Amino acid sequence: MAVGIFDSGLGGLTVLGAVTPRLPETPFVYLGDNAHTPYGVRDADDIFALTCTGVERLWLEGCDLVILACNTASAAALRRMQESWVPEGKRVLGVFVPLIEALTERQWGDNSPPREVAVKHVALFATPATVSSRAFQRELAFRAIGVDVEAQPCAGVVDAIEQGDMQLAEALVHSHVEALLRRMPRPEAAVLGCTHYPLVEDAFREALGPNVAVYSQPDLVAASLDDYLNRRPEMVGPGRDSLFLTTGEPVNVSRKATQFLRRQISFRPA
Ligand code: DGL
């Protein structure tokens, strides 16, 4: 009955932390590719190859459905995977669409033409690879017109979080927000387009100030997965156990994961 959750490292734990209470009966197998994090500075071919390897590993654990809890993989690899790689009976879903549906106030499956929405100025914070893919703008253009998106590639933030240097991560967040606000002084909404960023969400909120609505993914993805599994219960695979796997160093990764999720987490080698 397991569902796979994949990320380049620890960021997908923010999604796992939201889906677990929402779907308490569903076992989740988490795979962090900590040996190769960060993905955000890699090229699309590299991200595609690493993501496919991770997803195949989760299929081996009986997860027919894998959630890419990684915007960088969702942006740079997901479409290519879905078009040419995912076999019959398996499914790989990303984390972009639930976020954009929330921003554009759309229900799942609403394929009506793009229309005007309440927000007009959106700040996007994401990894360099996600920003350069322009996947967010592409998905948004299917649903909304007249939205101005200013994107800030947040170099260094994922690296600092993976190394447990939260002070550095927060300082970098402040400087990336300042850089964006110089180009778009009054965004109405800000999108945290990387699953690591909820771990420094307070720093984003502080730097953005009280007048900016912050869209963070974990709860949106959890609601969307719950809804998807109600429609497609057969996509819960045959795996029975929850498990944490890493390509990195398990003791080190477990220590940081325990700190982030505030409960004991033990990773095993992938
Ligand atoms: N959590 C990944 C994301 O959502 C981080 C990517 C990275 O490894 O740079 O984009």
Side-chain angles (χ1 to χ4, degrees):
M1 294 216 331
V3 171
I5 307 269
F6 174 80
D7 183 43
S8 63
L10 296 163
L13 293 173
T14 61
V15 172
L16 186 82
V19 292
T20 312
R22 193 151 182 143
L23 295 159
E25 306 300 324
T26 308
F28 288 98
V29 182
Y30 185 89
L31 172 57
D33 190 10
N34 300 78
H36 301 108
T37 195
Y39 280 14
V41 292
R42 294 176 181 274
D43 67 32
D45 282 344
D46 210 6
I47 295 167
F48 175 78
L50 291 168
T51 306
C52 290
T53 304
V55 169
E56 277 178 330
R57 179 69 188 83
L58 286 165
W59 285 338
L60 284 181
E61 293 297 330
C63 303
D64 291 346
L65 168 65
V66 174
I67 309 299
L68 299 186
C70 176
N71 291 268
T72 308
S74 302
L78 181 59
R79 205 199 300 183
R80 185 168 157 198
M81 291 168 82
Q82 287 172 334
E83 284 173 358
S84 65
W85 185 79
V86 179
E88 192 69 28
K90 308 278 189 216
R91 193 94 183 173
V92 182
L93 300 175
V95 283
F96 258 57
V97 171
L99 184 77
I100 291 172
E101 284 172 346
L103 193 67
T104 57
E105 295 159 39
R106 275 192 184 231
Q107 299 298 323
W108 184 88
D110 174 355
N111 291 325
S112 58
R115 55 178 180 256
E116 282 210 35
V117 292
V119 286
K120 300 280 179 237
H121 302 95
V122 175
L124 168 67
F125 298 94
T127 67
T130 299
V131 169
S132 65
S133 76
R134 297 188 61 82
F136 180 84
Q137 288 89 332
R138 196 174 54 233
E139 290 293 337
L140 187 65
F142 289 137
R143 295 166 179 85
I145 46 176
V147 183
D148 186 13
V149 177
E150 189 66 51
Q152 176 69 26
C154 298
V157 176
V158 167
D159 236 343
I161 293 172
E162 287 287 325
Q163 281 159 25
D165 191 342
M166 302 311 278
Q167 252 183 331
L168 173 61
E170 284 166 15
L172 287 168
V173 165
H174 277 269
S175 84
H176 286 304
V177 170
E178 275 164 29
L180 184 134
L181 292 178
R182 280 197 288 275
R183 305 195 302 278
M184 179 184 271
R186 270 181 290 280
E188 292 125 23
V191 168
L192 306 191
C194 170
T195 54
H196 282 72
Y197 299 171
L199 295 166
V200 280
E201 190 168 328
D202 288 350
F204 273 106
R205 286 183 185 277
E206 192 183 288
L208 285 160
N211 297 326
V212 183
V214 175
Y215 287 76
S216 178
Q217 282 171 323
D219 289 333
L220 296 172
V221 173
S224 166
L225 177 61
D226 191 0
D227 188 44
Y228 179 81
L229 290 176
N230 279 325
R231 282 181 280 110
R232 302 288 309 272
E234 75 282 7
M235 285 315 299
V236 177
R240 300 234 158 268
D241 299 316
S242 290
L243 198 61
F244 290 86
L245 300 169
T246 176
T247 58
E249 208 282 294
V251 175
N252 204 5
V253 174
S254 301
R255 188 172 43 76
K256 286 179 203 143
T258 299
Q259 179 194 334
F260 289 146
L261 283 190
R262 296 197 185 91
R263 64 183 169 95
Q264 186 60 45
I265 306 286
S266 294
F267 275 83
R268 294 193 206 159

